[in-house]
Amino acid sequence: MRRWDFVAAYLQGELQDGEVVYCHAPPGYATQGADGRSRVCRVEKPIYGMAQAGRRWQRSLFPWLLEWGFTQCASDPC
C-alpha cells in the first residue's frame, strides 16, 4: 500500500479534554444577539480551516496505525 485517501479526515479528530475553541458564525447565521452583542460559535469537533484540525486528526490516527502493526518512519517523525 502506497497511500490512503481519507474523505473528510479533519472531521474525524477530537478536541483535547478541556480545549475550548470558538469561531465566527458562518454566512447566513445571526451574528448579533437580541441584545446587540456579537455572537460566536463554540466548536465541538475540529473543522477544515482550523489550525488544530490536522494535528487532532493525526493524534486520532497514529495510535490506530501502531495498533495495526505500522511503524513510524525514523527519517520523518511527525
Side-chain angles (χ1 to χ4, degrees):
M1 181 179 321
R2 292 182 172 253
R3 68 176 183 177
W4 286 335
D5 185 15
F6 292 94
V7 177
Y10 287 128
L11 304 177
Q12 304 306 316
E14 297 290 335
L15 294 175
Q16 293 178 327
D17 289 338
E19 184 176 19
V20 179
V21 178
Y22 294 96
C23 69
H24 294 284
Y29 284 83
T31 57
Q32 288 190 338
D35 58 1
R37 295 174 50 194
S38 295
R39 289 187 172 182
V40 294
C41 298
R42 183 173 178 176
V43 178
E44 294 183 4
K45 291 185 68 79
I47 54 177
Y48 284 108
M50 219 174 93
Q52 300 93 327
R55 181 71 175 140
R56 298 301 169 258
W57 164 236
Q58 190 270 344
R59 285 189 177 179
S60 297
L61 178 64
F62 190 71
W64 182 86
L65 292 173
L66 292 177
E67 184 180 313
W68 279 86
F70 288 84
T71 57
Q72 186 174 14
C73 178
S75 64
D76 188 16
C78 57

